Amino acid sequence: MPKRAKRKRGLLVVISGPSGVGKSTVVRRLFKVYPKLLMSISSTTRTPRPGEIHGQHYDFITQEEFDLRVKQHKFLEWAKVHGSYYGTPRQYIEDELKQGEVVVLEVDVQGASSVKRLVESGDLKASVVFIFLIPPSVDILAFRLKKRKTEDEEVVNYRLRAAIAELQVMEKYDYIVVNDKVESAADKIKAIINVEKERTLVN
Ligand code: 5GP
């Protein structure tokens, strides 16, 4: 009789992408269609926006508290984004992964590369999948940049540089998902997670 397959460890799903691509909207939809997933709640020094709930959207903390947690190595990764600090709670992630859960992280590109470094150095022993969300306009932009030469040269160059920078970052990810429609982007991520879950099984 073959040994029953058992889950080696959980799965960490890192969702990132350029700011403004609609990551949080897609992630919100993902949790609707896949309620078994666990969401990591980041700590931030940013002030809450109307409707944001402490402990649900973010763990809103002071700069002093944030600095203390950095010193105490309480964050798996942290980064400064648009003038505020954001950090991923280490203990929560490690505990849930040990339990075999699937945990989702929604972070900026700096956060994703920090997690990647942790995996590569062996400091984070977990199955991790990196998903990069792009707006459909990046596709269109790349296509147009190749085709036409009518734009102001400076603008074209700026866009080209930005697109190239994004493409270089994209290469480091396991999957690239185009956020054409929120529903379909969330469905694609759900499918990716289901495939990746199978890869974490060992005999
Ligand atoms: P917002 O303030 O609009 O909710 O988020 C701003 C940016 O911070 C987004 O790109 C979001 O993905 C990113 N972010 C949220 N939490 C974290 C985190 O814990 N670590 C990192 N590196 N980025 C985060």
Side-chain angles (χ1 to χ4, degrees):
M1 280 267 277
K3 256 197 330 190
R4 215 176 123 234
K6 72 173 193 293
R7 197 166 298 288
K8 186 169 59 175
R9 45 174 106 106
L11 175 67
L12 186 60
V13 180
V14 179
I15 301 177
S16 194
S19 67
V21 71
K23 284 177 294 222
S24 50
T25 315
V26 171
V27 168
R28 230 178 293 131
R29 172 72 194 175
L30 175 67
F31 277 85
K32 272 217 177 101
V33 295
Y34 207 158
K36 267 200 215 154
L37 302 175
L38 296 182
M39 182 73 195
S40 160
I41 312 282
S42 296
S43 300
T44 183
T45 61
R46 161 165 90 58
T47 44
R49 297 187 186 121
E52 282 186 329
I53 299 164
H54 177 73
Q56 188 179 317
H57 295 93
Y58 281 108
D59 171 32
F60 294 100
I61 59 175
T62 61
Q63 188 67 57
E64 290 69 33
E65 181 60 28
F66 194 95
D67 294 343
L68 184 65
R69 291 189 197 179
V70 169
K71 267 195 207 135
Q72 294 171 335
H73 304 287
K74 291 207 169 157
F75 296 128
L76 189 70
E77 66 73 37
W78 63 270
K80 189 180 184 184
V81 188
H82 308 313
S84 298
Y85 289 83
Y86 297 81
T88 302
R90 178 192 299 277
Q91 195 69 53
Y92 173 80
I93 307 268
E94 289 179 350
D95 289 351
E96 296 301 344
L97 289 177
K98 263 189 215 141
Q99 299 297 318
E101 299 289 347
V102 181
V103 185
V104 176
L105 283 192
E106 186 234 299
V107 291
D108 80 318
V109 287
Q110 305 171 74
S113 40
S114 299
V115 176
K116 183 123 209 182
R117 272 198 301 277
L118 289 173
V119 175
E120 285 168 353
S121 66
D123 288 337
L124 178 64
K125 291 181 181 60
S127 302
V128 188
V129 58
F130 293 89
I131 301 172
F132 198 76
L133 205 58
I134 57 165
S137 56
V138 171
D139 269 2
I140 294 161
L141 177 68
F143 179 72
R144 283 165 74 200
L145 283 170
K146 272 190 230 151
K147 284 235 153 191
R148 59 166 207 196
K149 297 176 183 99
T150 51
E151 291 250 26
D152 179 323
E153 203 184 298
E154 207 178 310
V155 174
V156 171
N157 283 342
Y158 173 81
R159 288 185 186 179
L160 188 58
R161 272 199 303 276
I164 288 169
E166 278 185 346
L167 284 169
Q168 282 172 347
V169 176
M170 268 197 260
E171 274 176 16
K172 296 182 182 159
Y173 288 71
D174 302 311
Y175 297 92
I176 295 159
V177 172
V178 180
N179 185 17
D180 39 7
K181 271 175 78 187
V182 175
E183 291 79 6
S184 73
D187 286 347
K188 280 182 254 179
I189 295 175
K190 182 181 175 179
I192 291 167
I193 294 173
N194 281 331
V195 168
E196 289 294 319
K197 269 169 77 179
E198 296 308 310
R199 297 198 327 142
T200 66
L201 286 175
V202 289
N203 286 312

